[in-house]
Amino acid sequence: PVFSLSLSLELKPGESIQLSFINCASENREELMRLMKIYRKSRNVSHLFSNVEKESLAFTKKMGITQEMSAVYQSLASLALGGKIQSQISHMPTSHLPYIHSLWRLGISGDHPIVVIIIKDIEDFQMVKYALSCRSYWKHKGVDIDIVILNEEPASYIKVLDDEIDFLIRQNRASMPDEKKNYVYHVKADLMTKEDKVILIFAARVVIDSKSGSFKKQVLSQLSVRISPFAPPLITVISRPKSTGKISK
């Protein structure tokens, strides 16, 4: 059984009409009715999305994020929130323990979807910058996704890459003082067990390997690789004023 809404329209030849499907959410009925009254008018919906677009453009400009990369970050969020991709299913862990135990050993809570960024040397440092820029973008949009930077550089007394990654992560956290939880993790492959690494890759919704192409190329190429036609559809994440209801486009 389903609960469905229908609306009958008659269009004359050559005539067109624009429809808006709106979801509103509230903690009480009175507020919900108020929101429905506001957003049943198309001009209010158009005004809201216009304001959101302006606010988003101002934010990305301030953060030095191009519109092209903001679209990539939204696509990556869609992948992470929508489900695993086919290429990750072949790596099945053999451990009989709940997989969350392996994540805990790595200091990862497992409370949110995980995106793993694999880097192998200092030449991959740009990938880390994209990952942190992406996390800042998601934070602004109110999206909770964990980013795990899996550092596969061989162990050495000289830890330039380790230090640079840790510095960038600290800098990123300092720029978001109101963020109480940790959403970015730096994990060294040489300090993990083989099983823990397999479980991390298996648990991740998306895996990006620095040696498999650019950040943008890998995100866009994975959009079409879904494990099931019944996976949730891709979404567009928008920020909204706190006083309004939740609107999905």
Side-chain angles (χ1 to χ4, degrees):
V2 298
F3 180 81
S4 61
L5 301 175
S6 64
L7 176 65
S8 298
L9 297 171
E10 290 187 10
L11 296 180
K12 298 178 181 179
E15 186 180 6
S16 64
I17 191 171
Q18 181 176 345
L19 298 176
S20 297
F21 181 79
I22 302 172
N23 291 324
C24 293
S26 177
E27 296 180 356
N28 57 72
R29 188 177 187 278
E30 292 72 20
E31 176 65 10
L32 185 60
M33 296 303 294
R34 186 187 73 82
L35 293 172
M36 290 175 65
K37 184 177 180 180
I38 293 174
Y39 294 113
R40 68 185 299 172
K41 298 179 180 179
S42 59
R43 66 174 180 271
N44 291 338
V45 175
S46 299
H47 181 68
L48 174 65
F49 279 100
S50 176
N51 287 343
V52 166
E53 184 177 3
K54 291 177 181 177
E55 187 270 344
S56 180
L57 287 171
F59 171 77
T60 52
K61 183 178 180 180
K62 178 182 177 182
M63 295 297 296
I65 300 172
T66 65
Q67 288 300 297
E68 181 182 41
M69 286 309 297
S70 69
V72 172
Y73 296 160
Q74 288 200 36
S75 296
L76 182 53
S78 294
L79 283 168
L81 296 173
K84 291 174 65 63
I85 60 172
Q86 183 67 45
S87 62
Q88 296 166 353
I89 300 301
S90 59
H91 302 89
M92 294 292 292
T94 58
S95 173
H96 298 295
L97 290 174
Y99 299 152
I100 193 67
H101 286 251
S102 290
L103 298 180
W104 288 347
R105 280 196 293 269
L106 301 174
I108 302 169
S109 68
D111 294 338
H112 309 113
I114 295 173
V115 172
V116 170
I117 311 292
I118 301 175
I119 61 172
K120 295 178 171 63
D121 51 53
I122 195 66
E123 294 180 358
D124 304 331
F125 199 57
Q126 184 62 41
M127 215 45 111
V128 179
K129 293 182 177 180
Y130 279 133
L132 295 178
S133 172
C134 183
R135 174 56 214 153
S136 297
Y137 182 85
W138 288 344
K139 197 269 181 183
H140 177 71
K141 298 295 184 179
V143 178
D144 292 335
I145 299 174
D146 288 341
I147 293 179
V148 179
I149 299 171
L150 179 56
N151 185 352
E152 292 188 344
E153 184 181 48
S156 171
Y157 287 109
I158 302 176
K159 299 181 179 181
V160 176
L161 181 58
D162 291 19
D163 293 341
E164 290 292 337
I165 292 173
D166 291 337
F167 174 76
L168 272 189
I169 291 176
R170 289 195 300 269
Q171 193 177 52
N172 182 259
R173 289 175 184 165
S175 68
M176 298 182 287
D178 59 328
E179 186 162 272
K180 298 179 180 180
K181 297 185 67 175
N182 184 25
Y183 291 94
V184 182
Y185 304 87
H186 177 200
V187 179
K188 284 282 293 178
D190 62 305
L191 300 179
M192 302 168 61
T193 65
K194 182 178 180 180
E195 184 68 8
D196 282 349
K197 182 178 178 181
V198 170
I199 288 175
L200 174 61
I201 297 299
F202 178 79
R205 296 286 183 87
V206 182
V207 177
I208 295 178
D209 191 324
S210 61
K211 300 304 182 184
S212 298
S214 68
F215 190 95
K216 174 187 173 182
K217 179 181 178 181
Q218 291 188 66
V219 171
L220 297 182
S221 67
Q222 292 186 36
L223 280 173
S224 60
V225 189
R226 293 275 174 160
I227 59 173
S228 168
F230 304 105
L234 300 184
I235 64 169
T236 297
V237 182
I238 66 169
S239 59
R240 57 185 176 84
K242 292 183 179 179
S243 60
T244 70
K246 185 181 293 184
I247 294 183
S248 59
K249 185 176 180 181

